Amino acid sequence: MRNVYLATALICVLIFSIFGLRGTKFTSPPIDVFPEWAFPGMKRQPKFRPQAASQFFADGRADRVPVEHTVRADTPVRNDDHLYYGKDATGAFAHGFPASLTVDKAFIERGRDRYTIYCQPCHGAVGDGNGITKKYGMGATPTYHDARLRQIAEGEIYNTITNGKNNMLPYADKVEPADRWAVIAYVRALQRAQQGTVADVTDAAGKQTLGLK
Ligand code: HEC
């Protein structure tokens, strides 16, 4: 019987030591079983923590600011407001595509490729907002086929891809500026596709299929 009490007590101690203090914030350093002086290592080397104070520098900050006029090596020169920000000269959302890009079939194909990866899961293959995520409870994805989104400036769509909108996260880190425009061209193609009429069928094979003259 005594062993049972002992075992129960041990199990309690074990459970408490594993789970009991989870999530607790400690303000003092943890007790080391092997002290630093016995096993010197890099664990407690002198160092500055981010955003900490330091008496060493005149401004009292441990973090150093870059030297004036420093330009990060990976910062591209963004000297085209239309291409990089979707804005025109007046600062409004730009209509149309940046002059430096050629909107052709290859460009739209590239747009379809990126769209399929990054947008289709929510917006659906035809842009009606019925992507796979709807099945998993994300019901608020709008269709592209309403009057407002058909007329909206290309620059505003660019802005939505770059910065996100409400439940839609930004895609700036995943889709390059030129690719964002390619995606926009594809979104325009999806919108146009939903507005097709018989008059759009101009090639002979298509006409024959539809029984047109
Ligand atoms: C995780 C789901 C999700 C993905 C992925 C996604 N979107 Fe969205 N998108 C949304 C939701 C939700 C909204 C509605 C935002 C709102 O207005 O509340 C939206 C809105 C939009 C709108 C309408 C913005 C407006 O002005 O009302 C456009 C255009 C758009 N998305 C384009 C894209 C493009 C292009 C991609 C791919 C690069 C993309 N979305 C990827 C969920 C998504």
Side-chain angles (χ1 to χ4, degrees):
M1 199 60 197
R2 218 180 115 233
N3 282 348
V4 176
Y5 288 136
L6 214 66
T8 314
L10 268 174
I11 287 168
C12 286
V13 168
L14 196 71
I15 289 177
F16 178 78
S17 59
I18 294 174
F19 299 110
L21 298 173
R22 269 162 53 120
T24 311
K25 270 195 183 153
F26 298 95
T27 48
S28 50
I31 301 158
D32 268 332
V33 182
F34 303 107
E36 188 68 8
W37 53 261
F39 297 92
M42 301 217 314
K43 204 171 166 190
R44 295 212 210 301
Q45 61 182 312
K47 64 180 173 247
F48 288 131
R49 295 200 175 270
Q51 313 222 337
S54 160
Q55 296 310 309
F56 185 80
F57 297 107
D59 63 2
R61 298 193 283 184
D63 288 337
R64 302 287 75 214
V65 287
V67 179
E68 208 183 335
H69 305 308
T70 306
V71 177
R72 265 175 54 176
D74 61 347
T75 305
V77 181
R78 306 208 148 185
N79 54 359
D80 181 338
D81 281 356
H82 194 160
L83 178 62
Y84 293 114
Y85 304 103
K87 299 277 178 74
D88 64 17
T90 69
F93 286 126
H95 286 269
F97 290 81
S100 59
L101 300 173
T102 314
V103 183
D104 54 11
K105 194 171 176 212
F107 188 68
I108 296 174
E109 286 290 351
R110 172 70 181 166
R112 170 160 69 174
D113 179 74
R114 299 293 96 181
Y115 179 90
T116 309
I117 296 169
Y118 294 112
C119 320
Q120 182 168 317
C122 294
H123 286 279
V126 295
D128 57 2
N130 288 323
I132 185 83
T133 53
K134 198 167 203 174
K135 277 198 190 140
Y136 297 92
M138 182 152 184
T141 314
T143 171
Y144 294 145
H145 311 299
D146 66 12
R148 187 180 69 84
L149 288 179
R150 277 194 193 111
Q151 277 147 27
I152 198 175
E154 279 76 10
E156 191 165 353
I157 303 181
Y158 182 89
N159 184 63
T160 300
I161 303 174
T162 309
N163 300 312
K165 189 177 180 191
N166 299 328
N167 281 344
M168 182 180 146
L169 294 177
Y171 282 81
D173 60 334
K174 300 179 181 68
V175 187
E176 297 265 292
D179 280 346
R180 285 173 226 166
W181 288 104
V183 167
I184 295 165
Y186 187 64
V187 166
R188 286 298 189 225
L190 289 177
Q191 289 175 323
R192 181 71 181 83
Q194 296 294 311
Q195 298 251 288
T197 63
V198 172
D200 290 316
V201 185
T202 50
D203 66 306
K207 281 187 171 175
Q208 202 180 359
T209 312
L210 290 175
L212 301 170
K213 269 269 144 81

Coordinates of all heavy atoms in Angstrom, one line a residue, residues 17 41 53 169:
S17 N 5.7 19.0 -12.7 CA 7.0 19.5 -13.2 C 7.0 19.7 -14.7 O 7.6 20.5 -15.3 CB 8.2 18.7 -12.7 OG 8.0 17.4 -13.2
G41 N 30.6 28.7 -21.2 CA 30.2 28.6 -22.6 C 29.8 29.9 -23.1 O 30.2 30.9 -22.6
A53 N 18.9 49.3 -23.6 CA 19.6 50.5 -23.4 C 21.1 50.1 -23.2 O 21.5 49.0 -22.9 CB 19.1 51.1 -22.1
L169 N -4.9 39.0 -47.2 CA -3.6 39.4 -46.8 C -2.8 39.9 -48.0 O -3.1 39.6 -49.1 CB -2.8 38.2 -46.2 CG -3.4 37.6 -44.9 CD1 -2.6 36.4 -44.5 CD2 -3.3 38.6 -43.8

